[in-house]
Amino acid sequence: MRPTRREFLKLVGAGAAWMMLGGCAQPPAQVTPTPTTPPTTPKVTKELKLGYVAFRAGPAAAFGEPAHRAIDMMVERINAAGGVAGAKIKGIHEEEGSTSDTVEKFKKLCLEDKVDVIMGLNSTANSMAAAPVAEENSTLFIACQARIPYVTWKDPEDPSKGVMDWVFKANNSAVAHAVQAAWLLKEFAPDAKVVGQIHPDYAWGYDNYNYFSAAIKKLMPDVELLDPLYPKLFTPDYTPYITELVNSKPDYIFTSLWGSDTTRFIDQLIPYGLLKGTGGNTLLCAYWDFYVVTGREIPVFGHVQQSSQKGIAYPVKPEDFDPDWEWLIKEFKSRFGQFPQSGAFDAGDALNFWVAGINKAYEEKGEFPTNDDIRDALENLGSYKSFGEVGIVRKEDHRVLWGAAPGVVSKAPSDDPLQRPYVHDPALLVTAEQTEPPALTDPIEWINSW
């Protein structure tokens, strides 16, 4: 069952502030993206204000800080090229915190800073509470990190009530990640008989369990699904959970643990010899990229990973590299000494979405557009290009839909020009139609209809 808005808000507190994360697209080949360059550049003095809100400290910074950095890099690049339709962008950064604190920061951005757009938010609870603030103040909010499939809905429990006017979502959702994990099981462990799951004990974990389990029952109905394990967020010792997994001997484990929880769980699991590459036969589907974010080497290759719409792992061949994607990876590595985590691409996709909407509105109006014009342009954008992929903009629920390339976490080729720590090879190319429900549709109902 999906938690209600009230249940989300019950999660607010000192510990809950960190906990809601919502993680190559392969769009349909026939789609032609909407042009994003206006025919002429107007002379304007307007300054566009962009507010970005995400964690910058603490355990969730591994997801939030790369996004803040990517926004600064891309805004700097856009401004150096003349801005958007002649207007320069000013970035205003805010630290995400507790839900009540985040709501107040949204009010400040709307009423005091008078920003033109707000982006970001790592937390599920924060996103659900802050989105109505943007709506009430007619301020554009592009949710782009937490992976709630229903953040744009007026009522998360009743999709028939439609969507909010000023709230859009630019990244793929928890449904996509869980369904990807199911497709990875079918593709890379087709003979699996027993499947285990371990997820964080809150809404993100519950959603992943529900969506994945429903998908497996459709894709591989003969598989035995073990009861889920739900450790508390940032559990220091996973021994009780690992012991249960080892005794069950699953052929496949799916986990939505993130950040330091991912690496700590895997570190503690490896000595038991359960996983492939460590003496066992179990395939683990996990966010292996958090090893890279924390500056560590991936301890064992050959396992599988869900995918955001874009990241560093795909494409593999240099001839398939997109120039903007390659620039972000190189520039990020040069400035910060590390590769960008998927949160950087999430933020970049949101920024490119907004820019495409501004340019479309300017083309149609012939002068610099109002925020109402931009909102309308985003809703009717149809598609846009970001880091070499095409996002399909679904008007009905203000979602941007992407394909993805989850796959096997493998060492990058020795001659990889970016010297990446890993790639998805082979990758499983999935479309948005395979991984995301239709507009304003309950995800479980959609999966059950397969």
Side-chain angles (χ1 to χ4, degrees):
M1 295 291 292
R2 185 171 62 244
T4 64
R5 186 187 300 273
R6 184 175 291 106
E7 288 169 334
F8 277 123
L9 298 182
K10 286 180 180 178
L11 297 171
V12 179
W18 306 108
M19 58 193 244
M20 317 293 176
L21 273 197
C24 322
Q26 293 293 320
Q30 70 272 19
V31 174
T32 300
T34 301
T36 58
T37 303
T40 59
T41 302
K43 293 181 179 180
V44 298
T45 58
K46 178 176 174 60
E47 177 184 69
L48 292 163
K49 294 182 180 180
L50 183 164
Y52 203 90
V53 187
F55 291 114
R56 308 202 76 166
F63 192 48
E65 184 60 17
H68 282 287
R69 290 173 170 178
I71 287 293
D72 279 342
M73 288 169 50
M74 292 180 65
V75 164
E76 179 183 312
R77 190 186 194 204
I78 290 169
N79 286 344
V84 186
K88 299 296 179 71
I89 301 173
K90 177 183 178 180
I92 300 173
H93 294 272
E94 293 287 354
E95 166 78 32
E96 189 171 351
S98 68
T99 299
S100 58
D101 178 63
T102 301
V103 165
E104 290 305 311
K105 287 180 177 177
F106 259 58
K107 290 178 181 178
K108 170 184 173 293
L109 288 168
C110 293
L111 300 174
E112 296 180 24
D113 297 315
K114 299 187 184 302
V115 297
D116 298 284
V117 65
I118 305 174
M119 300 177 188
L121 290 188
N122 303 150
S123 159
T124 297
N126 290 352
S127 299
M128 296 302 291
V133 175
E135 181 75 0
E136 291 162 7
N137 289 282
S138 300
T139 300
L140 189 64
F141 171 41
I142 303 177
C144 64
Q145 292 204 259
R147 302 195 180 278
I148 320 148
Y150 38 87
V151 67
T152 64
W153 299 5
K154 289 181 178 178
D155 183 345
E157 298 179 50
D158 185 359
S160 69
K161 294 181 179 178
V163 296
M164 290 182 272
D165 291 329
W166 292 88
V167 181
F168 292 76
K169 179 175 174 58
N171 62 336
N172 62 8
S173 74
V175 184
H177 282 224
V179 170
Q180 285 176 35
W183 282 107
L184 288 168
L185 169 58
K186 184 175 176 65
E187 179 70 19
F188 296 111
D191 298 325
K193 303 298 182 185
V194 180
V195 173
Q197 296 185 64
I198 178 167
H199 303 291
D201 189 13
Y202 68 96
W204 161 251
Y206 310 149
D207 279 350
N208 270 274
Y209 168 75
N210 289 329
Y211 302 150
F212 174 81
S213 298
I216 288 301
K217 289 175 182 177
K218 285 292 185 176
L219 297 175
M220 301 176 69
D222 295 331
V223 164
E224 178 188 356
L225 292 170
L226 300 174
D227 290 338
L229 304 176
Y230 288 123
K232 296 296 183 184
L233 202 65
F234 310 130
T235 292
D237 183 3
Y238 286 92
T239 299
Y241 306 98
I242 291 173
T243 299
E244 190 166 343
L245 288 170
V246 170
N247 290 338
S248 301
K249 296 181 173 60
D251 303 299
Y252 186 86
I253 298 172
F254 169 45
T255 180
S256 59
L257 295 173
W258 59 273
S260 60
D261 278 1
T262 302
T263 55
R264 188 162 50 251
F265 167 68
I266 296 174
D267 288 344
Q268 294 176 22
L269 176 61
I270 284 176
Y272 286 83
L274 181 69
L275 300 181
K276 288 184 176 181
T278 69
N281 296 305
T282 299
L283 189 67
L284 176 62
C285 180
Y287 292 116
W288 293 86
D289 65 336
F290 279 108
Y291 276 100
V292 177
V293 175
T294 55
R296 299 178 57 194
E297 293 185 2
I298 293 174
V300 56
F301 289 95
H303 292 268
V304 292
Q305 178 173 243
Q306 319 92 305
S307 176
S308 300
Q309 62 273 8
K310 197 65 178 179
I312 68 169
Y314 192 85
V316 176
K317 298 178 181 179
E319 56 265 34
D320 297 326
F321 289 2
D322 171 75
D324 290 334
W325 174 79
E326 189 172 4
W327 169 82
L328 182 62
I329 294 174
K330 288 181 176 178
E331 186 69 15
F332 199 100
K333 183 71 163 57
S334 174
R335 292 193 187 194
F336 307 113
Q338 60 182 208
F339 287 91
Q341 196 264 351
S342 63
F345 294 97
D346 289 340
D349 286 332
L351 178 55
N352 287 335
F353 178 42
W354 182 51
V355 168
I358 295 170
N359 284 334
K360 176 180 173 62
Y362 170 67
E363 288 177 349
E364 294 176 345
K365 193 173 184 179
E367 61 184 20
F368 201 85
T370 66
N371 284 334
D372 290 90
D373 296 327
I374 295 167
R375 191 215 71 85
D376 292 345
L378 290 174
E379 187 174 78
N380 295 285
L381 191 60
S383 64
Y384 75 103
K385 192 172 183 179
S386 184
F387 302 117
E389 314 298 345
V390 175
I392 308 303
V393 183
R394 192 164 62 188
K395 179 177 181 178
E396 293 82 359
D397 62 351
H398 288 187
R399 288 284 312 277
V400 181
L401 303 179
W402 306 89
V408 178
V409 178
S410 305
K411 289 185 178 180
S414 58
D415 60 349
D416 179 43
L418 299 177
Q419 293 297 294
R420 289 171 290 174
Y422 75 96
V423 293
H424 284 170
D425 189 18
L428 180 63
L429 307 185
V430 294
T431 65
E433 291 78 8
Q434 290 175 298
T435 58
E436 296 275 14
L440 301 171
T441 301
D442 181 272
I444 298 296
E445 292 181 4
W446 168 66
I447 294 171
N448 288 340
S449 72
W450 293 357

